[in-house]
């Protein structure tokens, strides 16, 4: 704040008021902390103390990071958009040179964390795409803009899909579409995108294999379609069945310590992808409802903050984060209850995993930053607060 | 701070508001769907999923019940069930779990465990021939052989054989093993994955070879038996009776397997026991068998076989009044405990081989042959009852008996060309005059076309149980053969079909006429000679020692055909009788008491008067023994003529409070008085005086 402008004078007049303003969105932070707590409690019950403690540690790191990010003005990040994209590309390429874990190249081994590039890539993609869209905000009606943004999202997705990480690739695409959606791209172009997407899916799942080209691996196709015919799709059908048995067996209040599906490992990847089934069996409908309510709170706050942004960049970042949170929540929960395809997307803040937890908290921090900047700008401009 | 111009925007345009509303609605709708689905899964169908989870984690493991004991009539233990430690392989817990579809391949990491274990329990690691009861994996047609021969180490072979037969069940590699082995393996669990030392019940035979064939053997249930009625209630890893009394009374002896409900994790590994239903051990079976008499009988029989260079033999000692079997032995014998462990093919083949005397065959019921002169009392009964002979009729035995005249005529003579002179029926039995009974056989012959089932001789023989099942409580008994005109016809037909390779012999090589040896020559009709042979127990008649014992019991008791039985009662562990085994007699045949007395007179004189066929063996025995020797002439390709020694005798209820009938049969044992009577004497001595007494070899050369 070195320049002397009338705005600065305005700032001076609001300084006493500013102290009384909330420094962050308490509901957003409450939702995030609540989910982190639910995660620790669930992991403690399902997978034991050590995993729960590590998850708690990641959440603690995440909260600190979120509060720190909330303090900086996200608007400055816009100029680094190209850098973000480049770092995203680099991180997602480095993993191919890393030793595989269970035949997958997704992680960079760090001393305290298996660094999952594609997770951090989500935030970088959001920031980069938001930046690119803001640059072309005057040409949003042009098809070229839509095409370029989607191309950037697709390139990112194609980098992670062969790791293999189909779920995160789909998150990248969802982020691209949502950013365009909130930027104001015409419904016509969005409809065109949807049509293209449908055709692409048809080609990948049905057309290409018929010609002998397997874009996605066979097991991925099987996982994607397993929920359509449960019990008949090998390993994926088995996972789906066990997950539904676990959730159903939870009944109203849960099996608690007798959650056999979870405790005896019938539930596959019970602490990561299928953690919601662990919640369902251990704590029943009541527990699942609490968790879902916290997600509802989280998504409501993200939408609210999106509307409060002081600028388009903030709106689009919030839109991207919203896309990420909604996509992961609904696809993951839908998968465990048998109404959505099996895709390896983690349940935000609930699934065990440092990268996912920290990335989600970074996005919470960004939302807080948008909130604080928005509130500050509103009050500075003398406009009434919207909430 | 100044935002770049392009980024400035009003806080909420109508357009953005619309899109936020759209996004919010989508989120709301999806949350609604998820909540409804959760409600459906957890609240509406929760119970169903609770059950599904239970099915997931609970496995039933059958615990074999200890089999009931088998006791003799005085309570001595013949078969018991003992606990012992066994080294077992748990196929699913090996480093590489056994692939039930291809047990022939032993993964290297499993082989390492096997070899390490072989060193501990002292088994060979060398690969030897190993037949596995499964079709070769390469074979895809329906014509696959039932087993595949491969080369495996001893432990690998046992695992392959047993997993092929019974997938998932634990494989017993060695038992018993010492506590030391148990501790050694327990302390090195990591070095022996898939190896467990467990307590198992093993059927024990404290009396070893005693009554082995009658007691029978036990073994793991086969897939076919699992669905058989007789084995209802058995589980896949049940040990069931396979032969003898163990098979006959399996339902009582087997007990009820216990069920251990085990919680397993997703890998199928037990994580805890939920509940255990204890196995209920089987009931005990008390036999009418007298262990001491049995032991004396077997020892004496073995001595006779060795003295007379016999091939094998059998004896039956029975109560003539109620059919309780006091002793039933067959020599050579075997120790049934070998069937409680995996048995090598060679050992199994040996138990069934002719060279080893077929120890597993219970000759008392599964051996049958012509009875020789022991048949004569039956002929006598037929002749007297039919009126073809009277108690006062006599026959002049000139040492030769001829039928027919000229070229069709044929003459037979007594053994040793004896000339016995004028004989009434009792005399003829005493000296065992063949000519006398040849004459009766000729008199009793009837027109074969008018009487295809034979005349009085066949009727009475059938009434005494010749050619009929005895109804004893043992599986596998032979019914034998009673020659009749119709029987001869059927043999001729079979011979014809065999010679021509038609009917059941289709596809087999042809033979010259009569070349199959099924019938005597080609299409020879029933002749008077057949009846003459039958009258003296020679020729085609086939009788088992037990059948003969039943017939002599009828002579002893006055015409009741008893149903012989070894089982006396089924008891629980405390000795409380749950069920008595007391089968009613098969039938009663009506014989004139005067005729019976006449025949008995002959049988008594045969043992007690000088000139009697078994006088030199039985003459000094202080009981009223009624006995008849028999020497069956048996023709076979190798031996021009061999004599099978028989002796049948009884002490009736009128003479003692402990009536008994004894039949002894020694294959290739020579004359009845030489090979068989001494064994009967020792059995009787044991029965009446509690000691076998001397082995008195006879010297009579009567048939």
């Amino acid at each position: 704040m070195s320049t002397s402008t009338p705005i600065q004078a305005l700032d001076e007049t609001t300084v006493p008021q500013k102290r009384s303003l909330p420094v962050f969105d308490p509901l957003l932070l409450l939702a995030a902390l609540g989910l982190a707590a639910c995660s620790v409690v669930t992991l403690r019950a399902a997978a034991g103390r050590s995993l729960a403690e590590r998850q708690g540690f990641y959440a603690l790191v995440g909260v600190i990071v979120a509060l720190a990010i909330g303090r900086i003005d996200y608007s400055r990040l816009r100029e680094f958009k190209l850098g973000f994209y480049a770092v995203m590309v680099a991180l997602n390429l480095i993993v191919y040179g890393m030793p595989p874990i269970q035949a997958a190249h997704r992680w960079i081994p760090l001393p305290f964390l298996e660094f999952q590039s594609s997770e951090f890539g989500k935030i970088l993609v959001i920031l980069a795409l938001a930046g690119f869209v803001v640059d072309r905000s005057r040409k949003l009606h042009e098809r070229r803009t839509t095409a370029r943004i989607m191309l950037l999202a697709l390139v990112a997705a194609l980098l992670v899909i062969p790791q293999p990480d189909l779920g995160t690739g789909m998150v990248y695409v969802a982020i691209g579409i949502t950013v365009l959606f909130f930027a104001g791209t015409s419904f016509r172009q969005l409809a065109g995108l949807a049509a293209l997407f449908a055709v692409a899916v048809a080609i990948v799942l049905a057309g290409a294999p018929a010609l002998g080209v397997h874009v996605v691996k066979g097991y991925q196709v099987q996982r994607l379609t397993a929920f359509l015919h449960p019990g008949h799709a090998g390993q994926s059908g088995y996972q789906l069945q066990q997950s539904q048995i676990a959730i159903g067996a939870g009944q109203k209040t849960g099996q608690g310590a007798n959650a056999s599906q979870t405790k005896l490992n019938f539930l596959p990847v019970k602490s990561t992808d299928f953690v919601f089934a662990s919640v369902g069996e251990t704590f029943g409908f009541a527990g699942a409802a609490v968790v879902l309510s916290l997600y509802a709170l989280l998504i409501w706050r993200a939408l609210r903050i999106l509307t409060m942004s002081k600028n388009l960049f903030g709106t689009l970042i919030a839109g991207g984060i919203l896309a990420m949170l909604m996509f992961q929540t609904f696809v993951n929960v839908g998968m465990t209850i048998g109404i959505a395809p099996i895709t390896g997307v983690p349940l935000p803040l609930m699934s065990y995993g440092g990268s996912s937890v920290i990335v989600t908290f970074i996005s919470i921090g960004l939302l807080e930053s948008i909130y604080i900047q928005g509130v500050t700008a509103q009050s500075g401009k003398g406009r009434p607060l919207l909430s | 701070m100044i935002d770049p111009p392009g980024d400035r925007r009003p806080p909420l345009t109508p357009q953005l508001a619309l899109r936020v509303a759209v996004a919010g609605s989508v989120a709301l709708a999806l949350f609604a769907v998820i909540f409804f689905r959760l409600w459906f899964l957890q609240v509406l169908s929760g119970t169903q999923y609770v059950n599904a989870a239970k099915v997931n984690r609970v496995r039933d493991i059958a615990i074999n019940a200890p089999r009931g004991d088998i006791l003799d009539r005085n309570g001595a233990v013949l078969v018991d069930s003992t606990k012992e430690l066994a080294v077992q392989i748990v196929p699913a817990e090996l480093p590489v779990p056994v692939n039930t579809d291809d047990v022939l391949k032993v993964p290297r990491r499993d082989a390492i465990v096997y070899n390490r274990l072989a060193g501990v329990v002292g088994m060979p690691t060398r690969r030897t021939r190993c037949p596995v009861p499964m079709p070769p994996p390469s074979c895809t047609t329906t014509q696959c052989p039932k087993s595949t021969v491969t080369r495996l180490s001893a432990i690998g072979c046992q695992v392959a054989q047993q997993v092929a037969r019974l997938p998932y069940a634990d494989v017993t590699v060695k038992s018993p093993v010492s506590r030391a082995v148990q501790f050694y393996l327990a302390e090195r669990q990591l070095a022996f994955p898939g190896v467990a030392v467990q307590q198992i019940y093993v059927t024990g035979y404290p009396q070893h070879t005693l009554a082995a064939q009658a007691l029978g053997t036990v073994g793991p249930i086969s897939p076919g038996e699992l669905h058989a009625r007789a084995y209802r209630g058995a589980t896949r890893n049940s040990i069931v009776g396979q032969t003898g009394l163990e098979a006959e009374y399996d339902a009582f002896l087997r007990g009820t397997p216990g069920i251990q409900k085990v919680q397993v994790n997703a890998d199928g590994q037990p994580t805890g026991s939920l509940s255990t239903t204890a196995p209920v051990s089987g009931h005990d079976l008390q036999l009418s068998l007298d262990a001491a008499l049995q032991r004396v009988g077997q020892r004496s029989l073995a001595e006779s076989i060795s003295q007379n260079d016999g091939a094998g033999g059998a004896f039956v000692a029975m109560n003539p009044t109620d059919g309780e079997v006091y002793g039933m032995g067959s020599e050579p014998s075997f120790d049934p405990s070998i069937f409680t462990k995996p048995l090598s093919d060679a050992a199994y083949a040996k138990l069934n081989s002719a060279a080893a005397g077929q120890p597993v065959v219970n000759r008392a019921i599964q051996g049958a042959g012509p009875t020789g002169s022991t048949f004569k009392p039956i002929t006598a009964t037929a002749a007297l009852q039919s009126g073809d002979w009277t108690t006062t009729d006599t026959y002049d035995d000139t040492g030769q008996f001829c039928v027919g005249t000229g070229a069709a005529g044929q003459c037979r003579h007594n053994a040793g060309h004896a000339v016995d002179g004028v004989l009434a029926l009792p005399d003829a039995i005493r000296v065992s005059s063949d000519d006398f009974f040849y004459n009766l056989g000729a008199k009793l012959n009837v027109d074969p076309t008018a009487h295809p089932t034979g005349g009085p001789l066949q009727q009475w023989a059938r009434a005494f149980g010749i050619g009929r099942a005895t109804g004893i409580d043992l599986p596998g008994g032979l019914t034998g053969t009673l020659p009749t005109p119709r029987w001869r016809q059927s043999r001729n037909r079979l011979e014809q079909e065999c010679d021509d390779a038609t009917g059941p012999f289709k596809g087999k090589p042809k033979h010259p006429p009569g070349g199959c040896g099924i019938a005597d020559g080609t299409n020879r009709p029933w002749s008077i000679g057949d009846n003459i042979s039958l009258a003296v127990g020679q020729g085609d008649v086939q009788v088992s020692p037990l059948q003969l014992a039943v017939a002599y019991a009828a002579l002893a008791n006055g015409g009741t055909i008893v149903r012989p039985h070894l089982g006396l009662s089924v008891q629980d562990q405390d000795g409380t009788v749950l069920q008595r085994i007391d089968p009613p007699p098969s039938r009663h045949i009506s014989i004139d008491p005067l005729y019976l007395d006449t025949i008995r007179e002959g049988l008594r004189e045969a043992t007690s008067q000088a000139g009697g066929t078994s006088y030199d063996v039985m003459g000094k025995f202080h009981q009223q023994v009624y006995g008849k020797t028999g020497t069956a002439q048996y023709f076979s390709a190798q031996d021009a003529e061999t004599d099978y020694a028989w002796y049948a005798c009884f002490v009736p209820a009128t003479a003692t409070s402990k009536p008994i009938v004894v039949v002894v049969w020694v294959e290739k044992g020579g004359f009845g008085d030489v090979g068989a009577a001494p064994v009967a004497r020792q059995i009787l001595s044991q029965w009446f005086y509690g000691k076998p007494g001397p082995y008195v070899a006879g010297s009579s050369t009567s048939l």
Side-chain angles (χ1 to χ4, degrees), chain B residues 257-315:
Chain B
I259 295 168
Q260 189 180 14
K261 287 196 179 294
V262 173
Q263 176 165 289
V264 297
N265 64 14
D267 299 326
Q269 289 163 334
T271 57
S273 184
L274 297 176
S275 69
T276 306
T277 314
V280 180
S281 66
H283 296 311
D284 291 349
L285 175 68
Q286 184 162 37
L287 303 184
S288 55
L289 201 85
D290 184 309
L293 181 147
Q294 179 76 23
R295 192 172 302 112
V296 167
Q298 281 186 229
R299 197 184 300 147
S300 185
L301 186 63
E303 178 162 356
S304 168
I305 292 169
S306 92
Q307 281 198 9
N308 298 298
D309 203 15
F315 71 89

Side-chain angles (χ1 to χ4, degrees), chain A residues 98-115:
Chain A
M98 292 296 150
I101 299 176
Q102 288 174 350
H105 296 272
R106 287 180 205 161
W107 296 275
I108 301 169
L110 293 182
F112 65 100
L113 176 78
E114 293 287 335
F115 183 92

Side-chain angles (χ1 to χ4, degrees), chain A residues 189-242:
Chain A
Q189 286 188 28
L190 289 173
L193 266 184
L196 266 177
F197 186 69
V199 169
V201 167
I203 288 173
V204 164
L205 292 185
L211 294 172
V213 182
H214 293 277
V215 182
V216 289
K217 294 183 169 39
Y219 83 92
Q220 290 174 325
V221 176
Q222 202 186 55
R223 288 172 55 161
L224 289 175
T225 55
F227 78 106
L228 298 174
H229 35 77
H232 300 284
Q235 185 63 19
S236 303
Y238 171 82
Q239 293 184 343
L240 211 56
Q241 204 179 354
Q242 297 302 339

Side-chain angles (χ1 to χ4, degrees), chain B residues 405-492:
Chain B
T405 47
Q410 52 168 311
C411 291
R412 302 185 187 202
H413 47 74
N414 284 334
H417 296 272
V419 178
D420 294 320
V422 177
L423 299 168
L425 183 63
D427 310 319
I429 293 177
R430 182 186 70 232
V431 299
S432 197
S433 161
D434 288 333
D435 291 342
F436 183 96
F437 284 95
Y438 289 149
N439 180 42
L440 291 188
K443 280 182 176 296
L444 291 168
N445 192 36
V446 288
D447 175 20
T449 27
H451 303 278
T453 56
L457 183 54
Q458 281 79 11
Q459 282 164 29
W460 281 94
R462 202 176 292 116
F464 275 106
I466 307 304
R468 293 167 77 162
T470 58
I472 192 176
D473 48 358
L474 280 177
L478 294 178
T479 53
T481 308
L482 174 63
T484 62
R486 183 178 283 163
W487 174 83
R488 176 151 294 289
Q489 265 183 7
S490 73
R491 298 298 284 184
N492 285 336

Side-chain angles (χ1 to χ4, degrees), chain B residues 567-643:
Chain B
L568 207 56
S569 64
V570 175
Q571 312 176 340
D572 67 12
Q573 300 296 304
D574 312 324
T576 312
V577 173
L578 303 173
Q579 188 177 333
R580 277 196 188 289
I581 301 161
D582 188 13
S586 299
R587 60 192 173 275
H588 188 85
I589 56 175
S590 183
I591 309 170
D592 189 317
L594 178 67
Y595 301 159
L596 258 179
D597 282 346
T598 308
I599 294 163
R600 284 180 188 153
E601 190 188 334
L603 290 172
R604 179 76 188 111
E605 286 176 3
T607 65
S608 61
Q609 286 191 13
T613 49
S614 53
Y615 172 73
D616 50 0
V617 176
M618 293 291 183
K620 303 237 162 51
F621 194 77
H622 299 292
Q623 290 285 339
Q624 275 190 41
V625 181
Y626 297 71
K628 183 77 201 78
T629 53
T631 310
Q633 290 160 329
Y634 191 83
F635 299 88
S636 67
Q638 297 92 343
D639 320 284
E641 186 190 316
T642 358
D643 290 336

Side-chain angles (χ1 to χ4, degrees), chain A residues 1 73 75-76 78 134 137-138 180-182 184-187 190 242 244-245 247-249 251-252 255 260-261 264-266 276 280 284-285 288-289 292 295-296 299 303 306-307 309 311-313 315 326 330 333 337 339 378, chain B residues 1-12 15-16 18-28 30-31 33-35 37-39 41-43 45-47 49-50 52-54 56-59 263-267 271:
Chain A
M1 306 265 175
D73 185 354
S75 307
R76 291 184 186 174
R78 198 184 133 198
V134 169
S137 60
R138 302 241 158 87
L180 286 175
F181 177 75
F182 285 114
T185 303
S186 70
F187 279 110
L190 289 173
Q242 297 302 339
Q244 280 190 51
I245 290 173
I247 291 177
Q251 294 183 292
K252 283 177 196 157
Q255 296 284 346
S260 62
Q261 287 287 104
L264 299 174
N265 299 333
F266 288 102
F276 188 73
F285 184 76
L292 286 175
Y295 279 114
I299 286 165
L303 262 177
L306 183 147
T307 64
S309 170
N311 52 23
L312 182 61
F313 187 52
T315 302
M326 277 178 68
F330 291 127
V333 172
I337 58 178
I339 57 171
Q378 295 288 352
Chain B
M1 173 197 189
I2 299 166
D3 292 329
D7 196 21
R8 284 187 186 282
R9 52 183 291 275
L12 197 59
Q15 189 200 32
L16 185 62
L18 173 69
R19 298 192 174 204
V20 167
V22 168
S25 307
V26 168
L28 205 62
L30 290 175
F31 271 119
V33 167
I34 286 172
F35 266 102
R37 176 74 179 162
L38 273 179
W39 182 262
L41 283 178
Q42 301 193 290
V43 180
S45 29
T47 335
Y49 287 108
V50 168
K54 200 169 163 185
N56 249 348
R57 71 193 167 93
V58 180
R59 298 281 183 282
Q263 176 165 289
V264 297
N265 64 14
D267 299 326
T271 57

